[in-house]
Amino acid sequence: MFLTISTRGDAAHPATDLGFLLHKHPDKAQKFSTSYGTAHVFYPEADAGRCTAALLLEIDTVALVRRGKGKGRGGAPDAALAQYVNDRPYAASSLLAVALSGVFSSAMRGVCATRPELPGQARPLRVEVPALPARGGPALVHRLFEPLGWSVSAEPVPLDSEFPEWGDSRYVRLVLESDGLTLAEALRHLYVLLPVLDDAKHYWVSSDEVDKLLRAGEGWLPGHPEQRLITTRYLSRRWSLARQARERLELVRLAEADDSDVGELDNAVAEETETEPRPTPLAVQRREAILATLRARGASRVLDLGCGQGELVRELLKDARFTEVVGLDVSVRALAIAARRLKLDRMGERQASRVRLVQGSLAYTDKRLAGYDAAVLSEVIEHLDLPRLPALEYAVFGAARPRTVLVTTPNVEYNVRWETLPAGHVRHGDHRFEWTREEFRAWAADVAERHGYEVEFTAVGPDDPEVGPPTQMAVFTLTTTETPKEAKAA
């Protein structure tokens, strides 16, 4: 990973003042050990007119894996090669942000004992990052940095310069320029926003990350127009931490606006929360309905097919009656997040023996899925192209054949009740289709008939008398132990 910070100067204010601010002498090349490799600091140019400091971070990919990223007792993702072969050594990420805070910690705090007048001075700055993952594209890069006073250039990096028809990669070459920021402000912006754009931290995010975020975001994050996205991504989509961060930022903003007492505001927020309880999110209602149905059917060994980041797996593990829980997903990254959220590496032996996370595709039959009491497909089928749906049907109902199968999917008729959803749009950008109640019932009935199941339907969420519930659930019950081929032969 590579990053440069440049500044301009003159005889009265030489650019080499950058060395005082960074506490790194321009005539020296220095290196610093980190948990994941070695950070090198050197100056490609250093004179009164222009000075550039470079940070080169060499990543030890073996050390990165051994320190726990992607590892998990009782069910780490089946992706050993992916742990070693990835973009981590080359693309700016939370690894680079941590190196910035470690190597330039005094500069980030705005401390310079030798020249105490320098940290508070705004100066012309130019920051370059040759390879930055931008999940959201160049437009998001502009939305994040421009409100902070930066002039932004985010040039997409092509997948292959010899084959332009392949299009652009998810990486950009970032150039930031500003004449109105201090170096400390610039470093704090980078410390927060580089991992936000990458949207994948290399370490477990705990409650102390909220304090780090608020310290680095002091003075700019409370009023940032993308505050919600920044807090959510920086805290690895841990919603409780993101909510806590936003509440604290709101208190800061209000205190700055009218000089109110923060303690009184905190009490006011608490009272408002107590008197106006928030409605239960649909995702929570969906999990509750699934758990209630599994308990009613007496299931103990359960498959969560398309488990994503492990929300349902976590709820299943809280109930001792579910003695074996298997989460399967095609996304290695989602499984790594699930392992981290479930704290598999810190889980006790007995609890770890109850859970496995495995990588696989529902487009193919999989012997690992046979013999279970129940399988759950929660908000999964709508992410498949319709021509691929028969393959999933056979893999689950024809080959795995659990005694109970639960399938939930959006009810497209209910979409008119979502005020923020434009007419004609699906609820998620990756949804390939969304069915009416009639369409879903017809599909489920056909699947049940062909594979020896009975099916009944349940509403999840408020059941609107005109358009039905937001989520529809089909509960399939196996009526014969014969496979479809055996039944046909008989």
Side-chain angles (χ1 to χ4, degrees):
M1 299 180 192
F2 191 66
L3 175 147
T4 61
I5 304 172
S6 304
T7 187
R8 303 187 306 275
D10 51 35
H13 301 90
T16 48
D17 284 349
L18 184 64
F20 288 101
L21 287 165
L22 293 175
H23 296 258
K24 305 292 181 287
H25 198 287
D27 293 338
K28 294 181 179 180
Q30 298 174 266
K31 64 179 181 180
F32 306 85
S33 295
T34 72
S35 301
Y36 305 101
T38 304
H40 302 266
V41 178
F42 56 94
Y43 289 76
E45 55 183 347
D47 55 43
R50 183 176 173 85
C51 185
T52 297
L55 175 62
L56 173 66
L57 184 59
E58 289 186 297
I59 301 299
D60 184 341
T61 54
V62 175
L64 184 64
V65 172
R66 286 178 177 172
R67 287 188 65 88
K69 174 68 176 179
K71 294 176 65 178
R73 290 170 53 192
D78 297 337
L81 185 61
Q83 296 179 28
Y84 295 92
V85 183
N86 51 53
D87 66 353
R88 282 288 174 252
Y90 316 104
S93 66
S94 58
L95 289 162
L96 185 59
V98 170
L100 277 172
S101 67
V103 176
F104 300 138
S105 58
S106 296
M108 189 174 292
R109 296 197 311 271
V111 175
C112 182
T114 308
R115 300 280 300 279
E117 77 281 3
L118 291 180
Q121 296 175 0
R123 62 187 57 252
L125 294 172
R126 178 184 173 92
V127 177
E128 296 188 48
V129 183
L132 171 65
R135 299 180 191 274
L140 180 58
V141 181
H142 284 267
R143 298 203 323 260
L144 292 179
F145 283 101
E146 284 181 345
L148 302 175
W150 291 102
S151 173
V152 180
S153 171
E155 180 183 347
V157 177
L159 284 170
D160 193 314
S161 57
E162 295 185 8
F163 299 94
E165 65 273 14
W166 288 5
D168 295 326
S169 68
R170 64 183 180 92
Y171 304 92
V172 298
R173 177 180 178 272
L174 176 66
V175 178
L176 303 172
E177 293 184 290
S178 175
D179 291 331
L181 294 171
T182 66
L183 179 64
E185 289 172 328
L187 291 173
R188 290 198 295 266
H189 296 167
L190 294 169
Y191 175 76
V192 173
L193 296 181
L194 291 183
V196 165
L197 283 164
D198 184 28
D199 197 17
K201 283 207 167 184
H202 70 278
Y203 57 88
W204 171 253
V205 172
S206 56
S207 56
D208 62 341
E209 288 295 302
V210 177
D211 296 325
K212 293 180 185 178
L213 174 61
L214 267 61
R215 283 197 299 269
E218 184 179 357
W220 62 271
L221 187 53
H224 198 291
E226 296 293 339
Q227 182 200 106
R228 175 174 289 273
L229 180 142
I230 292 169
T231 53
T232 299
R233 287 193 177 190
Y234 183 87
L235 297 166
S236 295
R237 303 181 187 275
R238 293 193 63 189
W239 307 116
S240 60
L241 295 182
R243 183 170 60 250
Q244 177 187 340
R246 287 194 290 270
E247 288 175 352
R248 290 173 61 180
L249 287 167
E250 180 64 9
L251 292 176
V252 171
R253 188 188 68 80
L254 292 173
E256 291 175 348
D258 59 10
D259 201 28
S260 298
D261 181 76
V262 174
E264 292 179 3
L265 286 169
D266 202 5
N267 293 335
V269 171
E271 290 175 6
E272 182 180 351
T273 303
E274 291 174 4
T275 57
E276 298 182 13
R278 297 177 180 177
T280 304
L282 180 59
V284 175
Q285 296 183 56
R286 190 160 47 236
R287 287 194 292 271
E288 290 175 348
I290 290 170
L291 291 166
T293 303
L294 291 173
R295 291 172 185 135
R297 297 302 177 99
S300 59
R301 303 176 65 239
V302 180
L303 299 167
D304 183 6
L305 304 178
C307 66
Q309 299 179 2
E311 292 89 349
L312 179 59
V313 172
R314 180 173 55 194
E315 296 303 315
L316 288 165
L317 289 176
K318 292 178 181 178
D319 192 331
R321 79 187 73 192
F322 301 116
T323 58
E324 184 178 353
V325 180
V326 175
L328 177 140
D329 203 280
V330 72
S331 169
V332 172
R333 180 170 179 268
L335 290 171
I337 295 173
R340 189 174 66 194
R341 288 183 169 180
L342 294 169
K343 302 180 182 179
L344 290 182
D345 57 338
R346 288 178 264 174
M347 192 176 284
E349 185 176 351
R350 179 177 295 180
Q351 185 79 332
S353 67
R354 296 173 57 209
V355 59
R356 281 191 301 136
L357 299 179
V358 298
Q359 195 272 337
S361 170
L362 293 174
Y364 305 96
T365 58
D366 191 333
K367 293 180 179 179
R368 296 175 297 178
L369 307 183
Y372 284 83
D373 298 329
V376 178
L377 291 155
S378 180
E379 309 300 285
V380 171
I381 61 172
E382 64 272 9
H383 291 272
L384 274 69
D385 293 317
L386 282 170
R388 297 173 65 88
L389 200 52
L392 175 144
E393 295 168 11
Y394 181 75
V396 176
F397 296 92
R401 297 186 68 73
R403 293 204 307 267
T404 301
V405 182
L406 277 60
V407 180
T408 74
T409 192
N411 168 23
V412 71
E413 298 170 76
Y414 192 89
N415 287 359
V416 296
R417 297 292 187 257
W418 300 115
E419 295 180 359
T420 58
L421 186 65
H425 285 236
V426 293
R427 298 183 196 177
H428 189 282
D430 190 53
H431 285 186
R432 310 307 168 88
F433 62 87
E434 289 179 356
W435 277 332
T436 64
R437 288 168 290 173
E438 182 180 352
E439 289 170 330
F440 180 55
R441 287 171 180 255
W443 171 81
D446 181 59
V447 170
E449 182 180 358
R450 285 189 287 108
H451 294 284
Y453 282 81
E454 291 180 347
V455 62
E456 57 187 72
F457 301 91
T458 302
V460 179
D463 197 352
D464 189 286
E466 295 181 2
V467 298
T471 295
Q472 43 193 342
M473 181 166 72
V475 181
F476 296 83
T477 304
L478 188 64
T479 58
T480 175
T481 57
E482 295 179 330
T483 65
K485 289 184 178 179
E486 291 171 343
K488 185 175 181 180

